Amino acid sequence: MAKQPATIFVCQNCGAQSRKWLGQCGDCGEWNTFAEERFRVTGAAAGRSTAMLNYRASEAYAYGKIASDEDERTTSGIEEFDRVLGGGIVAGSLVLIGGAPGIGKSTLVLQMAERLSDGGMSVFYVSGEESERQIKLRGTRLGLQAESLFIMPETNLGAIMDEIAKTRPNVVIVDSIQTVFSSAIESAPGSVSQVREVASQLMMFAKQTGTPVFVTGHVTKEGSIAGPKTLEHIVDTVIYFEGDRHHNHRIIRATKNRFGAANEIGVFEMTGTGLIAVGNPSELFLQERPENATGSVVTVCMEGTRPMLVEIQALASGTKFGTGRRMTQGFDHNRTSLLIAVMEKRLGMQLAGDDVFVNVAGGFEVDEPAADLGVVAAIASSFRELVISPETAVFGEVGLTGEVRGVLQAQARAREAQILGFKKLIVPESNRKGLEKLLGIRVVGVSTLDDAMDELF
Ligand code: TYD
Ligand code: MG
């Protein structure tokens, strides 16, 4: 049998291993992600498959005999958070909350801890970043009083597990998985092997005891959690804080959820007293909308199961260089270029000599084709210097021949526009059926971009 090397190199992005240091990871293609980690094989397991040693008798179940009742859920006390979790906290689940530093992860989990403790649960909060006094200070600032919240400023997983075994809490929170280390592994806290080890230990604990465990994780510059692939595979649910720090609302999104729909979002407003749930996000995103300005239109996108109205802005202005630049924020850049090409060919708009900027207001990110028509409408409005009525909303996918295609969940989208008092809705012709019954809103179906332009201006 080959001798185990004392050290190996591990890609900090995807967890790939190599005996030699590599500049570029052969698996994920990232540069400069290899770090040296110590390899330690413990006693009896050395050289043999650990899976075999851990084998214990288990049985298979007949599909028909498995109980199919929903998992029981506990409310986190924060409605928007429950929604993202898929309806509440599931016993024995491991939830990862990721986001950039300072975006509000600790605030959110602390607020949740208070609500849970108010509901009579004992909450165990492990903080590897702040001392108990700092957390108390933050809690005081947020006006929190939690009788059965226990705080442990500790980073050694062994010590944490011992204390948890002693106190038997109902919920465990680990504030930043990157700070916690297991002494079974010699590499530094935050490295892929440590993060993976700590996560699997917590997972095992959660499954064995039925205790829900929440862990927070920092996101790297490139926008992923350190050791993202390995970590995201281990946990049950991944929730990301989205958007940038310069807006005073915060969006959390479930990018993976074994216990509910992925892509569900929750919207919060950030205040001096913590995060406050926003019941009607559409209203928030349309708040500062300019009335009667060119290059602005409202579109309806679906975020998980929830329709949301957002404003799309565009600016087309003569370029100072030979060819116009295209810049986008909150919408796919390539998709924008494609839509501009379609506009040039099918609508005869000469945009090649214009710089075109597209922006989704409020720092929101839209990534569904249903927003195509909104982007086209906003660009056309700015290019032609014609205002789109502020009481009009649009949605629809645009194809390469300039056709407007139907989108999913048209009913839900139309209702949201109706609720917010829009008077006219321009939708794909194939979606129009069934929407006419909506009161107080005129629904117009279009099948080509030409039709859409006629309706808009
Ligand atoms: P924090 O929760 O510590 O961010 P993270 O754990 O993701 O690094 O929040 C960063 C700072 O923002 C902190 O000083 C508190 C402040 N803050 C508020 O004042 N109100 C809020 O609603 C939130 C979310 C944060
Ligand atoms: Mg924090």
Side-chain angles (χ1 to χ4, degrees), residues 335 338-348 372-373 376 396-405 428 446-453:
R335 188 96 197 148
L338 182 147
L339 292 173
I340 290 173
V342 173
M343 291 173 75
E344 290 191 333
K345 187 95 178 169
R346 309 289 168 193
L347 294 174
D372 288 354
L373 192 56
V376 170
E397 181 180 345
V398 174
L400 291 186
T401 65
E403 84 274 23
V404 179
R405 297 162 157 264
V446 293
S447 44
T448 65
L449 276 188
D450 264 323
D451 296 354
M453 292 301 123

Side-chain angles (χ1 to χ4, degrees), residues 100-107 138 141 218 269-272 274-275:
I103 199 144
K105 299 179 295 296
S106 305
T107 308
R138 179 201 298 263
R141 205 169 55 230
H218 293 299
E269 200 172 329
M270 211 176 94
T271 68
L275 293 162

Side-chain angles (χ1 to χ4, degrees), residues 102 105-107 125 129-130 138 175-176 216 218:
K105 299 179 295 296
S106 305
T107 308
Y125 187 121
E129 295 179 351
E130 290 151 308
R138 179 201 298 263
D175 195 357
S176 148
T216 67
H218 293 299

Side-chain angles (χ1 to χ4, degrees), residues 286 288-299 310-317 327 329 336 343 349 351 354-362 371-390 392 394 453 456-457:
L286 296 183
E288 290 170 69
R289 186 159 59 110
E291 301 263 305
N292 298 319
T294 58
S296 157
V297 70
V298 173
T299 189
V310 291
E311 181 199 353
I312 295 187
Q313 298 187 332
L315 186 70
S317 68
M327 273 162 71
Q329 203 157 20
T336 308
M343 291 173 75
M349 291 187 187
L351 286 153
D354 275 15
D355 288 333
V356 178
F357 305 93
V358 173
N359 178 31
V360 180
D372 288 354
L373 192 56
V375 172
V376 170
I379 296 174
S381 162
S382 175
F383 182 73
R384 290 193 178 163
E385 305 219 9
L386 291 171
V387 176
I388 297 172
S389 157
T392 299
V394 304
M453 292 301 123
L456 282 165
F457 308 112

